[in-house]
Amino acid sequence: MSANKGKRVLITGAAGFLGSHLCDRFIKEGYDVVGMDNLITGDLANIQHLFKLKEFEFYHHDVSKFVFVPGKLDYILHFASPASPIDYLKIPIQTLKVGSLGTHNLLGLAKAKNARILVASTSEVYGDPTVHPQTEEYWGNVNPVGPRGVYDEAKRFQEAITMAYHTYHGLETRIVRIFNTYGPRMRLNDGRVLPAFIGQALRGEDLTVFGDGSQTRSFCYVDDLVEGIYRLLLSNYAHPVNIGNPSEITMCEFGEEILKLTGSSVKMVFKPLPQDDPKQRQPDISKAREILGWEPKVSRAEGLKRTYEYFKSLPPEELTKSAHRFS
Ligand code: UDP
């Protein structure tokens, strides 16, 4: 019998990309999982395979409003939030509310249930970073009133209130700073670079590179991220920890990789760089290595292959839904 039998975890954003993978992992580890999502950006298709399990229950609820879950909770993972620049540009107020009011509600719930809570923070707290690679000690370079401010500042507030509950109430808290992550169940139309490029290649459209494509990102495969989060939750470290893959690449190089992967003969075309788009991003993962004994295992070549297989397996109509759902 699993050592985790009878332990109960609440996962918010359960129908989203990361939330759904976390649900799978905790079910696999023997936990009872309570999923919660308001389904604004999440999709029940990501968790429909779990509904037949007695270890899984689901609440259709917006955590920005008072959250009630009957029964005990051992852990809370707060993963509800729009997380792609296009999403939080289209729904800025909800983005601010879920990171601030939503986090406050869940911290209150954690306190009431005597549960440990892990909140999903982000490399966006570093803004357009002037320190490279980014260590957890770096305070960031964020424009609070720019288009990304609604996400970045909500997440910075989230970290502040989480630490306040830790120091003032003695609540057991964990903060993960997530860098760009990819894998199956990303929304093909979420506007992020990876689904954008793969969708374009599959439809035979040119790849839209923003700016001159010299900006960098470091992409982590979702299974690696989930492993890091799992270890962080079970650790006793309350300060923020970067989880990401340090392998850094420019967007032009990334476009080339996608063209090679898909065997597509389309071109790369250049479009204006969105405002405040970070020029470089790479996690320093020394802390995760030391404290969690964690580092990523899945190479970009392997991760991209698995992700491409997933996108190819979707029904063809998904591919034509290239327009964003809020547009
Ligand atoms: N990007 C791009 N073409 C696209 C979408 C995004 O060149 O169709 C660029 C974007 O400007 C950014 C990088 O890819 O520099 C990663 O963007 P994404 O939206 O995936 O996430 P971010 O890391 O900016 O939050």
Side-chain angles (χ1 to χ4, degrees):
M1 198 170 73
S2 159
N4 301 320
K5 187 100 192 117
K7 292 221 176 94
R8 196 156 177 253
V9 53
L10 168 66
I11 300 178
T12 73
F17 165 46
L18 297 183
S20 67
H21 283 283
L22 285 165
C23 288
D24 284 344
R25 175 66 188 260
F26 279 83
I27 289 282
K28 203 172 119 210
E29 297 287 346
Y31 292 80
D32 289 336
V33 172
V34 182
M36 187 173 282
D37 205 299
N38 67 359
L39 301 176
I40 292 190
T41 56
D43 190 339
L44 284 178
N46 291 333
I47 47 169
Q48 64 181 359
H49 58 285
L50 298 177
F51 279 76
K52 60 179 182 290
L53 304 176
K54 64 175 183 349
E55 295 80 14
F56 183 75
E57 12 169 6
F58 180 76
Y59 289 85
H60 183 190
H61 181 69
D62 180 348
V63 298
S64 305
K65 311 216 168 78
F66 182 79
V67 182
F68 175 72
V69 176
K72 73 154 192 168
L73 285 175
D74 297 286
Y75 300 116
I76 297 174
L77 284 89
H78 182 25
F79 278 72
S81 177
S84 107
I86 285 197
D87 283 347
Y88 46 78
L89 287 182
K90 304 243 170 181
I91 42 173
I93 314 288
Q94 286 97 325
T95 303
L96 278 159
K97 284 169 74 175
V98 73
S100 54
L101 307 180
T103 301
H104 187 210
N105 288 335
L106 292 162
L107 287 164
L109 182 67
K111 187 163 153 272
K113 301 279 185 187
N114 204 14
R116 180 181 300 178
I117 180 168
L118 181 148
V119 297
S121 189
T122 165
S123 55
E124 283 285 325
V125 299
Y126 303 122
D128 190 2
T130 55
V131 167
H132 194 73
Q134 291 78 57
T135 59
E136 288 86 349
E137 284 71 34
Y138 177 49
W139 292 350
N141 176 35
V142 170
N143 174 4
V145 293
R148 290 176 177 252
V150 295
Y151 184 65
D152 301 6
E153 296 296 358
K155 290 295 187 180
R156 289 168 69 96
F157 173 87
Q158 177 184 62
E159 290 198 5
I161 193 171
T162 299
M163 282 314 292
Y165 266 72
H166 177 66
T167 49
Y168 186 70
H169 288 306
L171 192 68
E172 288 217 39
T173 57
R174 306 286 179 267
I175 300 172
V176 58
R177 290 193 182 145
I178 300 171
F179 284 65
N180 292 66
T181 301
Y182 69 99
R185 301 186 191 153
M186 282 187 105
R187 249 174 38 228
L188 203 46
N189 64 355
D190 83 355
R192 285 218 186 94
V193 67
L194 182 142
F197 282 179
I198 293 188
Q200 287 160 343
L202 284 172
R203 290 189 300 272
E205 297 167 5
D206 291 337
L207 308 192
T208 51
V209 177
F210 296 165
D212 63 4
S214 64
Q215 71 274 32
T216 65
R217 293 294 186 272
S218 307
F219 296 101
C220 184
Y221 188 67
V222 62
D223 291 359
D224 281 334
L225 182 91
V226 165
E227 178 63 31
I229 289 168
Y230 193 73
R231 289 184 189 207
L232 177 61
L233 177 73
L234 300 184
S235 78
N236 54 18
Y237 192 74
H239 285 267
V241 178
N242 289 339
I243 300 283
N245 189 323
S247 167
E248 186 181 3
I249 186 173
T250 70
M251 291 310 98
C252 273
E253 290 163 343
F254 190 57
E256 296 290 351
E257 284 193 2
I258 299 293
L259 291 180
K260 206 163 130 217
L261 172 78
T262 57
S264 170
S265 53
V266 299
K267 303 189 297 299
M268 292 196 269
V269 293
F270 294 86
K271 302 266 177 197
L273 190 67
Q275 190 193 332
D276 298 340
D277 196 289
K279 285 180 273 309
Q280 54 181 359
R281 187 181 284 157
Q282 187 201 126
D284 180 318
I285 58 165
S286 314
K287 275 212 166 59
R289 280 202 176 101
E290 264 164 50
I291 297 166
L292 313 176
W294 175 89
E295 62 182 7
K297 296 268 183 292
V298 182
S299 68
R300 199 164 55 243
E302 174 59 25
L304 285 180
K305 212 165 82 196
R306 292 188 207 168
T307 309
Y308 181 46
E309 290 308 315
Y310 165 78
F311 282 130
K312 275 198 300 186
S313 74
L314 293 175
E317 59 272 19
E318 285 293 318
L319 208 54
T320 51
K321 274 199 273 171
S322 62
H324 189 267
R325 76 166 73 172
F326 302 109
S327 51

